[in-house]
């Protein structure tokens, strides 16, 4: 008998050692990234010891990687059932249930985690959400009571409890909850207002109005009360009283910018539904902006609304200038003003706006670009070149390639006009590094090379790209024809110059195209 017992113990010990050997090897292979080997070893482990929770847990991860969710979940369930004290297994199982929206199954798992670790208040928060999902409102209230014992009575918990009571249809309890909060903090008028809201929401209007009246005696500008009263008068159809409260809230210095914008959005929505007359909304904006502004957000909102209503640009510009007065580094407002100046061909205004912008947003490449273009259009070549060169200094790896490409393209044009051909060609090369299909650059580069009779093969390749992209562009066709002419391919040049003439824009100066056409024609006659 004694020998038999010892033999049994010897067998169990050997089995444990065998399991430990295979599990350790599985972890080694896992660490090395040999996942196939680790997977096979773990499957052998659970055959050796079906009660090895850790093997089931790691096996679940491999089934998950294989997209076998059913087996993965079964492995996690097995691990959690063997070792319910292991929080990792339990939380993983809970997350699986939640991801499957099986909230009823997740609840006992989360309850078990919390019972084993009462410091896990996050589990209570999760339980509150889960009980709401399954509409077990009594349990949800119970969880909130537990949280309240830990954190004490506060606005968040009281509001959550009141909302749950309302969902249950228990108006009396919903009101009582907010009343208790107000009584615990009698000097906080916002809590009194929340109690009034609960009364109003649940049909006890007279009591609510009485509460509001008491609050306004102490705090005439209590924004919460004013907003609640506004909603009340709107519901009654008393628009005059509601409008008065709207203005009162918007001009209330205690109202936050967010609250004012939210309220204005409501007014804008109502205005649009009533036909879109902007008079009332603009009047509200005008009275608000007459007050000192702590930041630019309200002014920007006004400009945005005016844009949406397609107001005159002069009117919008005045508002945008107020934005810059408050926040001179607001690039978006300055760019919009710059756009208006550009549309009206006011290059002096463009230059001034860009110069000011460079002081406040020196890393914004767009302002160097537009300033350079404005100088270029005014034939101020040195000033334009200076602006572009300064702009190149702020180019980064992630800069917009379209803008950077145009930077170098216009620089090349300016340098060529100044007689600096080699520097111009270097600028064109840089342009094409950033954007190899910059058609304007390809055309100009090719044409200037042909004028000098240099690198005509390269010029032809570049020019061909442009006519392939825009086969009816008379300028590009003319350039290609002229390069063929310089290569003494006169018959081909004739074909393309005729196309250039056929596609000429009569609103532009076509003298160069016509001059080239005549020369090519004469050359072909001689041939």
């Amino acid at each position: 008998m004694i020998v038999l017992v010892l033999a049994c113990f010897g067998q169990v010990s050997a089995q444990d050692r065998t399991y430990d050997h295979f599990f350790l090897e599985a972890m080694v292979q896992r660490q090395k990234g040999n996942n196939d080997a680790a997977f096979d070893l773990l499957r052998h482990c659970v055959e050796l010891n079906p009660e090895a929770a850790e093997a089931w847990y790691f096996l679940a991860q491999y089934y998950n990687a294989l997209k076998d969710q059913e087996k993965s979940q079964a492995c996690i369930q097995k691990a959690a059932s063997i070792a319910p004290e292991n929080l990792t297994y339990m939380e993983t199982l809970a997350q699986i249930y939640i991801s499957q929206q099986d909230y009823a199954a997740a609840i006992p798992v989360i309850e078990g985690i919390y019972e084993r670790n009462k410091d896990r208040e996050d589990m209570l928060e999760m339980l509150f959400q889960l009980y709401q999902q399954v509409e077990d409102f009594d349990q949800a209230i119970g969880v909130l009571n537990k949280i309240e014992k830990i954190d004490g009575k506060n606005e968040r918990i009281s509001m959550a409890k009141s909302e749950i009571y309302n969902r249950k249809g228990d108006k009396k309890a919903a009101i009582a909850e907010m009343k208790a909060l107000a009584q615990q903090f009698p000097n906080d008028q916002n809590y009194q207002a929340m109690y009034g809201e609960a009364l109003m929401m649940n049909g006890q209007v007279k009591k609510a109005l009485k509460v509001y009246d008491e609050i306004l005696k102490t705090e005439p500008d209590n924004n919460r009360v004013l907003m609640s009263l506004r909603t009340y008068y709107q519901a009654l159809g008393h628009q005059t009283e509601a409008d008065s409260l709207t203005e009162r809230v918007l001009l209330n210095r205690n109202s936050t910018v967010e609250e004012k914008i939210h309220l204005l959005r409501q007014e804008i929505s109502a205005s649009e539904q009533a036909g879109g007359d902007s008079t009332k909304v603009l009047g509200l904006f005008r009275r608000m902006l007459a007050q000192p502004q702590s930041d630019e957000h309200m002014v920007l909102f006004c400009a945005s609304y005016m844009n949406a209503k397609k107001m005159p640009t002069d009117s919008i510009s005045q508002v945008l200038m107020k934005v810059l007065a408050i926040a001179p580094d607001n690039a978006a407002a300055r760019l919009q003003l710059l756009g208006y100046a550009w549309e009206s061909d006011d290059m002096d205004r463009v230059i001034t706006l860009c110069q000011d912008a460079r002081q406040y947003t020196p890393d914004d490449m767009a302002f160097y670009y537009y300033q350079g273009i404005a100088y270029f259009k005014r034939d101020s070549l040195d000033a334009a070149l200076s602006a572009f060169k300064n702009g190149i200094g702020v180019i980064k790896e992630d800069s917009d390639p379209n803008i950077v490409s145009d930077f170098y393209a216009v620089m090349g044009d300016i340098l060529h006009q100044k007689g600096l051909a080699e520097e111009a060609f270097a600028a064109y090369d840089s342009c094409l590094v950033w954007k190899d299909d910059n058609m304007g650059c390809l055309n100009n580069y090719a044409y200037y090379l042909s004028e000098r009779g240099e690198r005509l093969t390269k010029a032809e390749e570049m020019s061909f790209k442009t006519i392939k992209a825009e086969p009816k562009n008379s300028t590009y066709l003319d350039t290609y024809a002229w390069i063929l002419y310089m290569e003494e391919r006169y018959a081909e040049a004739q074909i393309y110059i005729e196309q250039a003439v056929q596609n000429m824009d009569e609103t532009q100066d076509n003298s160069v195209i016509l001059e080239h056409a005549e020369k090519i024609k004469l050359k072909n006659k001689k041939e």
Side-chain angles (χ1 to χ4, degrees):
M1 183 70 177
I2 294 174
V3 173
L4 179 61
V5 170
L6 289 174
C8 290
F9 275 106
Q11 288 176 353
V12 172
S13 178
Q15 186 177 8
D16 286 348
R17 285 197 299 274
T18 303
Y19 166 81
D20 289 343
H21 168 75
F22 279 102
F23 182 75
L24 180 59
E25 183 61 24
M27 294 299 99
V28 170
Q29 295 302 321
R30 174 187 170 87
Q31 187 68 27
K32 289 181 177 180
N34 299 328
N35 293 317
D36 289 343
F39 181 50
D40 290 338
L41 287 164
L42 285 168
R43 285 192 294 178
H44 187 54
C45 285
V46 297
E47 290 174 357
L48 288 170
N49 183 3
E51 297 302 306
E54 66 279 3
W56 288 109
Y57 175 73
F58 285 107
L59 196 56
Q61 296 179 21
Y62 284 105
Y63 280 121
N64 184 60
L66 292 169
K67 309 298 183 186
D68 192 336
Q69 302 302 326
E70 186 176 344
K71 285 186 178 179
S72 178
Q73 180 175 332
C75 289
I76 289 293
Q77 287 172 324
K78 183 71 174 177
S81 67
I82 295 168
E85 73 285 351
N86 188 303
L87 296 182
T88 299
Y89 303 165
M90 299 294 281
E91 287 189 51
T92 303
L93 180 59
Q95 289 301 325
I96 289 173
Y97 287 139
I98 292 170
S99 68
Q100 296 172 344
Q101 298 185 355
D102 189 352
Y103 305 122
I107 286 171
V109 179
I110 301 296
E111 289 276 18
I113 295 171
Y114 180 70
E115 286 304 314
R116 287 180 175 84
N117 189 347
K118 294 296 179 69
D119 292 332
R120 294 292 300 274
E121 192 174 340
D122 60 317
M123 293 296 104
L124 288 178
E125 297 285 353
M126 190 174 293
L127 279 171
F128 172 60
Q129 299 298 331
L130 290 171
Y131 279 124
Q132 286 189 92
Q133 290 291 342
V134 298
E135 296 188 350
D136 190 339
F137 299 130
D138 290 336
Q139 289 288 359
I141 292 291
V143 172
L144 287 173
N145 286 334
K146 289 179 182 179
I147 297 174
E148 193 171 64
K149 284 183 180 179
I150 298 169
D151 296 345
K153 184 174 284 296
N154 61 54
E155 177 182 338
R156 183 180 71 89
I157 296 173
S158 292
M159 286 194 70
K161 286 167 74 173
S162 184
E163 182 182 342
I164 294 294
Y165 283 128
N166 277 322
R167 291 177 68 184
K168 283 183 64 179
D170 191 343
K171 295 182 178 182
K172 185 176 180 180
I175 293 171
E177 183 61 39
M178 299 315 297
K179 183 178 182 180
L181 178 69
Q183 288 176 336
Q184 183 158 338
F185 302 97
N187 295 322
D188 192 320
Q189 298 301 324
N190 277 326
Y191 289 158
Q192 308 305 314
M194 290 162 65
Y195 169 47
E197 289 170 0
L199 289 166
M200 184 71 76
M201 185 185 302
N202 288 286
Q204 297 191 26
V205 177
K206 288 184 178 180
K207 286 186 178 180
L209 293 175
K210 185 176 180 181
V211 170
Y212 290 158
D213 187 55
E214 290 300 318
I215 295 170
L216 293 176
K217 287 178 181 177
T218 306
E219 289 185 9
D221 291 330
N222 187 290
N223 198 56
R224 189 158 198 151
V225 172
L226 296 176
M227 287 291 287
S228 186
L229 285 171
R230 173 181 174 272
T231 302
Y232 168 66
Y233 284 120
Q234 282 183 325
L236 291 177
H238 296 173
Q239 198 58 44
T240 302
E241 290 85 347
D243 288 346
S244 175
L245 286 161
T246 297
E247 187 169 337
R248 192 169 167 185
V249 171
L250 291 175
L251 299 179
N252 184 356
R253 293 185 179 181
N254 293 332
S255 300
T256 65
V257 172
E258 291 76 14
E259 288 170 336
K260 291 179 179 180
I261 289 177
H262 176 72
L263 183 52
L264 277 169
R265 289 190 191 282
Q266 291 181 12
E267 290 296 313
I268 291 169
S269 177
S271 171
E272 293 303 307
Q273 290 176 9
D277 185 357
S278 60
T279 306
K280 178 181 175 182
V281 175
L282 289 173
L284 290 171
F285 271 121
R286 185 170 55 255
R287 287 189 285 279
M288 290 175 63
L289 298 185
Q291 294 182 322
Q293 301 295 311
S294 59
D295 58 45
E296 75 274 26
H297 294 104
M298 187 58 64
V299 195
L300 278 172
F301 186 32
C302 178
S304 176
Y305 176 71
M306 294 173 75
N307 268 315
K309 300 303 292 183
K310 302 187 184 324
M311 302 286 291
T313 57
D314 288 348
S315 299
I316 302 174
S317 295
Q318 291 176 14
V319 176
L320 291 172
M321 288 304 296
K322 289 185 178 180
V323 173
L324 295 182
I326 300 168
D329 59 344
N330 191 297
R334 200 177 294 275
L335 279 169
Q336 190 171 341
L337 283 167
L338 193 153
Y340 292 152
W342 192 271
E343 288 172 5
S344 62
D345 201 32
D346 187 350
M347 293 301 113
D348 289 340
R349 177 73 170 142
V350 170
I351 290 167
T352 300
L353 284 166
C354 290
Q355 190 62 44
D356 291 343
R358 286 172 54 179
Q359 296 179 36
Y360 297 104
T361 51
D363 294 332
D364 195 324
M365 195 169 52
F367 294 111
Y368 297 89
Y369 175 74
Y370 286 111
Q371 187 178 33
I373 294 289
Y375 276 128
F376 184 52
K377 291 184 72 169
R378 284 200 337 187
D379 293 324
S380 301
L381 298 186
D382 290 335
L385 192 59
S386 174
F388 282 117
K389 285 182 176 179
N390 287 327
I392 286 172
V394 302
I395 292 174
K396 300 174 183 176
E397 288 184 7
D398 59 348
S399 294
D400 186 338
N402 294 304
I403 296 179
V404 178
S405 175
D406 283 345
F407 251 83
Y408 284 111
V410 181
M411 275 185 64
D413 294 342
I414 294 170
L415 288 164
H416 189 270
Q417 284 193 35
K418 290 174 66 66
L420 303 170
E422 294 305 321
E423 291 182 43
F425 295 156
Y428 289 145
D429 285 329
S430 296
C431 164
L432 297 175
V433 167
W434 280 88
K435 193 171 185 290
D436 60 6
D437 62 348
N438 187 312
M439 295 302 155
C441 174
L442 287 167
N443 178 77
N444 291 356
Y445 196 177
Y447 184 69
Y448 295 145
L449 284 173
S450 71
E451 280 192 321
R452 293 164 64 91
E454 296 179 2
R455 292 181 279 171
L456 293 177
T457 301
K458 177 177 181 177
E460 182 190 343
E461 290 173 356
M462 291 191 294
S463 182
F464 184 72
K465 286 184 181 180
T466 67
I467 64 169
K468 189 176 180 181
E470 299 182 36
K472 293 188 177 182
N473 186 308
S474 60
T475 300
Y476 296 169
L477 288 164
D478 171 64
T479 298
Y480 190 63
W482 188 248
I483 293 168
L484 294 173
Y485 173 83
M486 295 296 294
E487 291 179 317
E488 300 182 359
R489 294 158 62 183
Y490 305 121
E492 292 175 77
Q494 184 68 42
I495 294 170
Y496 287 98
I497 198 64
E498 287 177 359
Q499 292 181 39
V501 171
Q502 289 171 8
N503 289 283
M504 285 191 307
D505 185 347
E506 298 302 328
T507 64
Q508 296 179 354
D509 181 4
N510 296 305
S511 57
V512 173
I513 297 176
L514 295 172
E515 180 184 338
H516 288 167
E518 186 62 27
K519 288 183 178 180
I520 293 170
K521 181 180 178 181
L522 289 172
K523 202 68 174 178
N524 274 293
K525 281 184 178 180
K526 290 180 181 179
E527 293 293 318

